[in-house]
Amino acid sequence: MLGATFFSLILPAMDRFSGGSGLANAGMAVTGLLAGGSFLHLANRFVPHEHFLRGPEGSNSQAIRRLWLFVFAVGIHNLPEGMALGVGTGTGDESISLPLMTGIGLQNIPEGMIVALALIAEGFASRTAIFVTLATGLVESIGVLIGATAVGFSAAMLPWGLSASGGAMLYIISSEMIPETQKNGFEHQATAGLMIGFAMMMILDNAFQA
């Protein structure tokens, strides 16, 4: 995820900003990145949801059934992934879209299994766990439509969409994924996994460039 964010979103965004100096283009990319991260920060703060390890967050989370809190939590995570895929596909550049789809797709397989198993461990029925997993996947599909539609309106939206999607993904990685994986004595394993995943995305990115 971290590798896909840099190689398939942030760096291509900087390459596609034009009309100014290199510093100005970088500044526009940073603006988009911060906008995407800020959007996720607000969603994380105000949308009620519950993490498996950190517990409930967001406003009025106590008034909503726990099942839906889990759905919202994974949905907040999956929406920017979908938007990133939609924007990446909207570039029309397979050297961007293919590694992005491959990286996020590979990450989604164990993620879906973890969500389902965690819900079962929390006492939910297997059928309910499958429903929640499918529902969160639907959120990602909605994100794809949003991202692809946004960049489809104007080519000028493309670098902004890439940088904003990168910012949203970076926020999720830093705020949710890294802290969750570093808990309970798994710091070294989590760090090794992050480095291996980043290295794999480096290889994928260069493989699709060839």
Side-chain angles (χ1 to χ4, degrees), residues 118-184:
L119 286 169
I120 292 172
E122 289 287 333
F124 293 102
S126 299
R127 183 180 301 177
T128 302
I130 293 172
F131 165 76
V132 171
T133 304
L134 292 175
T136 55
L138 179 61
V139 172
E140 189 159 325
S141 300
I142 294 171
V144 171
L145 291 175
I146 294 172
T149 301
V151 299
F153 280 122
S154 171
M157 289 292 296
L158 181 57
W160 291 103
L162 287 168
S163 58
S165 297
M169 294 274 284
L170 195 59
Y171 180 91
I172 288 292
I173 293 166
S174 178
S175 175
E176 308 284 349
M177 299 178 72
I178 291 177
E180 294 281 354
T181 58
Q182 294 278 339
K183 289 184 176 180
N184 299 328

Side-chain angles (χ1 to χ4, degrees), residues 4-15:
T5 299
F6 277 100
F7 299 127
S8 297
L9 293 172
I10 296 174
L11 293 180
M14 294 181 67
D15 290 339

Side-chain angles (χ1 to χ4, degrees), residues 70-159:
F70 285 129
V71 173
F72 293 154
V74 183
I76 292 173
H77 178 165
N78 282 0
L79 184 64
E81 286 184 8
M83 293 174 65
L85 286 171
V87 172
T89 303
T91 64
D93 186 345
E94 291 186 352
S95 67
I96 293 175
S97 59
L98 288 179
L100 188 62
M101 287 188 290
T102 303
I104 292 180
L106 289 173
Q107 181 262 338
N108 279 347
I109 295 172
E111 180 185 73
M113 295 174 61
I114 290 169
V115 169
L117 291 173
L119 286 169
I120 292 172
E122 289 287 333
F124 293 102
S126 299
R127 183 180 301 177
T128 302
I130 293 172
F131 165 76
V132 171
T133 304
L134 292 175
T136 55
L138 179 61
V139 172
E140 189 159 325
S141 300
I142 294 171
V144 171
L145 291 175
I146 294 172
T149 301
V151 299
F153 280 122
S154 171
M157 289 292 296
L158 181 57

Side-chain angles (χ1 to χ4, degrees), residues 1-68:
M1 292 286 288
L2 186 61
T5 299
F6 277 100
F7 299 127
S8 297
L9 293 172
I10 296 174
L11 293 180
M14 294 181 67
D15 290 339
R16 280 166 170 73
F17 277 111
S18 60
S21 65
L23 185 60
N25 293 342
M28 288 187 285
V30 168
T31 301
L33 183 145
L34 294 177
S38 297
F39 172 77
L40 259 293
H41 171 71
L42 292 174
N44 198 56
R45 181 173 180 181
F46 293 108
V47 175
H49 58 285
E50 180 167 349
H51 299 279
F52 291 111
L53 296 180
R54 289 201 311 222
E57 292 183 352
S59 61
N60 201 30
S61 60
Q62 302 299 326
I64 299 176
R65 287 184 60 192
R66 197 161 180 236
L67 172 64
W68 290 108

